[in-house]
Amino acid sequence: MPTPFLFHFAQAHNEFRLPELSSICELHGIPFSLSKNPQSNDPNRPFMVIELENEEQARILAKRCILIKAIYEFYGQGSTYEELHEENRKSEPLWRKYVENTSFRFLITAYQHKIPQSRQRDVMESFAYMGFLGKIDMKNPEITLTCFEDYEERTGVTRVKHEGDGDFRQVFFGRLIVDGSARALIGKFDVKKRVYYGNTSMESEISLIMANQTLAAPGKFIYDPFMGTGSMAYPTAHFGAFIFGSDIDGRQMRGKQKEPGVLRAAKQYGVASRIIDLSTFDITHNPLRCGEMFDAIVTDPPYGVRAGAKRLGRKKSLPDYKKELTRQHNLNGRPDDQPYIPPTKPYELSHLARDLVLLSRYLLKPGGRLVFFLPTVTDEYEEVDIHTMLCEGMEVIANSLQDFGSWGRRLVTIRKVTKEKYPPPTFEPAPNDQDTHIPAHKDFREKYFQGFRSSKSESVEPEGQEQDSGSDAQQ
């Protein structure tokens, strides 16, 4: 029979909580369900009651989910302490075994509020009916019992000390089972402590959540097509997966030292043996001739704010004499003995996203996942925007927003749901149909630098406009 557990989440990235939890449950074959009580299943609040089969499953989740702070055996909740005590008495079979001879401590805490000491004592005394006979041990108790008072957020409102004390939304009560140990990885993978990074390197907490969305585990093979300085590779490899990375600009992966920067950082984290290879190529002109290679594809595509996406080609066609000069140089070698750097042109975001999904359908194994960030304009976004990039055999299973106000970036997870084999995509340009829905992420760079002043009806600068160059890697 399912057992209710009280999950205490970190108050960050609220929309990412359930997708991450669902992914790790799928990875470990753990069935779960949300409480039917609407007061205890709001994903925007830090406390949720979730049903699992046993405590061992709770420990597995707390060890892997980045957004879990702690998990408790759930004894009760209520909008008042009277309601809480009524539920707690019904849960006596769960806590009765600890009454006789178990050392314990009792904590009273709150979210968005500080409870005065005097009322904390009153609350503790109200649980006297539980009749615990063991020793009170505040340092190393055998069990920890905790009351959580959940208050409404009052961001930007100045109030006096203890104002509104007792006016909580809900109060929860339970026994601590396990603290969330995965959150320690945020410090381990902190970009500021990394030996190699760039100005577009993904922050550690987000990269860890993305790695969980890929279902990274020992034996998995995962690909990052916009590798950059490797932010996605390190946490994914930490969870046991093997990594292959590519980028159109190999300088991002190499850095300025003899040993590639990505490999130096991988050694720092003890995962260098899991970096299978790094390659330089444009995904629309890729050398991969075998489909269904990867268990997941995870990436943070460049979208032109700090580093612009590029693909091979020229914005303007060369005159004939320059074409002939280039051909002679390719045949006979460049006169200055420098390596040839092929020309590139901007890669418009909506085209990039569509091509990424097509490439993923070809390269992913059946059931494999594509996990990537997609920036969108807040006022223009519609749910259909995500579906404009989909193709047959691919479906969205998670779409979570990191909100920055006028714009945000969406962590999108798409699963390959077909077993049909597809040929390598040709990346043909999409038909220019005036009736086709224009997604909010189209021409995102131009909208960003215009301050998102233009509406859907206004035109934006064409795809051929010059974009940012790649970011300089740090040593």
Side-chain angles (χ1 to χ4, degrees):
M1 181 178 178
T3 302
F5 292 87
L6 177 62
F7 280 61
H8 183 192
F9 289 99
Q11 194 58 15
H13 309 300
N14 300 357
E15 290 198 18
F16 297 179
R17 293 171 180 165
L18 289 181
E20 182 192 37
L21 177 68
S22 177
S23 295
I24 301 308
C25 284
E26 180 179 331
L27 176 64
H28 292 280
I30 298 174
F32 79 99
S33 59
L34 302 181
S35 168
K36 295 180 176 59
N37 185 345
Q39 295 290 346
S40 53
N41 62 10
D42 183 354
N44 292 314
R45 309 303 297 180
F47 309 107
M48 294 185 70
V49 178
I50 297 174
E51 294 183 345
L52 304 174
E53 293 180 341
N54 52 57
E55 287 189 15
E56 181 57 30
Q57 292 178 347
R59 297 181 190 280
I60 291 172
L61 295 176
K63 188 177 180 180
R64 180 67 185 263
C65 290
I66 306 303
L67 296 176
I68 292 178
K69 292 185 71 174
I71 302 178
Y72 297 77
E73 183 178 40
F74 178 65
Y75 292 160
Q77 73 179 91
S79 56
T80 65
Y81 272 99
E82 288 74 18
E83 291 181 6
L84 172 63
H85 290 314
E86 182 179 348
E87 283 204 16
N88 188 42
R89 286 187 171 94
K90 294 177 183 178
S91 299
E92 183 172 352
L94 296 176
W95 50 260
R96 169 56 58 184
K97 57 189 172 185
Y98 303 113
V99 169
E100 297 296 331
N101 191 27
T102 303
S103 64
F104 70 98
R105 67 174 174 174
F106 207 109
L107 300 178
I108 311 294
T109 187
Y111 167 67
Q112 296 285 350
H113 183 71
K114 183 173 178 62
I115 305 173
Q117 287 284 349
S118 58
R119 194 166 71 81
Q120 289 188 41
R121 288 193 297 270
D122 293 340
V123 171
M124 290 183 193
E125 291 174 1
S126 71
F127 285 88
Y129 61 88
M130 296 180 73
F132 276 79
L133 302 175
K135 175 185 175 183
I136 297 176
D137 187 344
M138 299 304 291
K139 291 186 177 180
N140 296 297
E142 293 177 74
I143 63 170
T144 297
L145 302 170
T146 307
C147 258
F148 295 101
E149 293 181 1
D150 182 13
Y151 287 77
E152 292 283 358
E153 293 189 36
R154 299 181 65 180
T155 305
V157 177
T158 303
R159 53 182 175 174
V160 300
K161 188 176 183 180
H162 304 314
E163 178 187 345
D165 184 52
D167 296 332
F168 47 78
R169 297 170 72 251
Q170 288 280 296
V171 57
F172 300 87
F173 181 54
R175 173 183 65 87
L176 177 65
I177 293 175
V178 60
D179 287 312
S181 57
R183 289 195 62 76
L185 295 174
I186 298 174
K188 175 178 179 178
F189 290 99
D190 187 353
V191 175
K192 296 178 182 178
K193 302 175 184 177
R194 193 173 297 165
V195 298
Y196 181 72
Y197 62 92
N199 63 2
T200 59
S201 295
M202 178 66 71
E203 59 267 35
S204 60
E205 185 173 20
I206 293 294
S207 62
L208 285 159
I209 293 171
M210 293 180 73
N212 277 342
Q213 288 293 93
T214 68
L215 310 184
K220 296 287 186 72
F221 192 20
I222 296 178
Y223 171 42
D224 184 349
F226 299 96
M227 188 73 163
T229 57
S231 294
M232 300 297 106
Y234 314 127
T236 311
H238 170 80
F239 292 131
F242 293 103
I243 308 300
F244 170 64
S246 71
D247 202 294
I248 193 172
D249 186 355
R251 295 171 296 180
Q252 292 293 296
M253 298 180 289
R254 292 192 299 269
K256 298 178 181 178
Q257 297 186 17
K258 184 176 181 180
E259 183 178 26
V262 168
L263 294 183
R264 285 192 286 120
K267 286 182 179 179
Q268 177 185 356
Y269 299 122
V271 297
S273 62
R274 298 193 185 116
I275 307 296
I276 299 301
D277 204 357
L278 305 173
S279 299
T280 301
F281 58 77
D282 172 6
I283 64 168
T284 64
H285 297 77
N286 69 78
L288 304 173
R289 295 296 176 264
C290 178
E292 300 187 359
M293 295 173 57
F294 301 105
D295 296 283
I297 294 175
V298 60
T299 193
D300 180 31
Y303 42 88
V305 175
R306 287 182 291 179
K310 302 286 186 180
R311 62 181 297 180
L312 294 180
R314 297 183 184 275
K315 290 178 285 185
K316 296 181 180 179
S317 179
L318 287 177
D320 291 341
Y321 78 92
K322 283 192 176 181
K323 289 181 181 179
E324 178 60 24
L325 184 62
T326 299
R327 190 182 72 82
Q328 292 298 327
H329 285 171
N330 291 339
L331 290 174
N332 305 322
R334 293 173 61 83
D336 54 5
D337 198 31
Q338 293 297 310
Y340 174 69
I341 299 177
T344 60
K345 61 182 180 180
Y347 201 175
E348 198 277 314
L349 181 60
S350 64
H351 297 169
L352 183 155
R354 183 199 67 222
D355 291 347
L356 180 59
V357 175
L358 284 170
L359 180 67
S360 299
R361 184 178 66 174
Y362 171 61
L363 293 178
L364 286 175
K365 299 175 182 177
R369 291 182 168 199
L370 165 64
V371 181
F372 68 104
F373 262 117
L374 182 73
T376 60
V377 182
T378 301
D379 291 341
E380 297 182 11
Y381 174 76
E382 299 177 26
E383 285 297 320
V384 70
D385 290 354
I386 301 299
H387 297 279
T388 60
M389 68 183 72
L390 292 182
C391 58
E392 182 181 353
M394 304 290 281
E395 73 172 11
V396 177
I397 60 173
N399 173 15
S400 308
L401 174 65
Q402 186 179 14
D403 192 358
F404 298 127
S406 58
W407 72 284
R409 57 182 184 180
R410 292 185 170 273
L411 180 55
V412 181
T413 303
I414 297 175
R415 177 190 287 136
K416 182 176 178 179
V417 294
T418 180
K419 293 183 179 179
E420 182 178 347
K421 293 184 181 294
Y422 288 86
T426 59
F427 304 108
E428 295 284 341
N432 187 16
D433 188 348
Q434 296 298 323
D435 297 328
T436 301
H437 174 76
I438 300 176
H441 54 272
K442 188 176 190 305
D443 297 309
F444 178 82
R445 178 181 184 271
E446 288 76 11
K447 294 175 183 178
Y448 180 92
F449 286 109
Q450 290 171 5
F452 305 109
R453 291 188 299 272
S454 59
S455 65
K456 288 184 178 180
S457 61
E458 294 178 325
S459 61
V460 294
E461 295 176 7
E463 179 181 344
Q465 180 181 335
E466 184 65 41
Q467 291 193 3
D468 306 338
S469 59
S471 59
D472 291 331
Q474 304 296 313
Q475 297 300 308

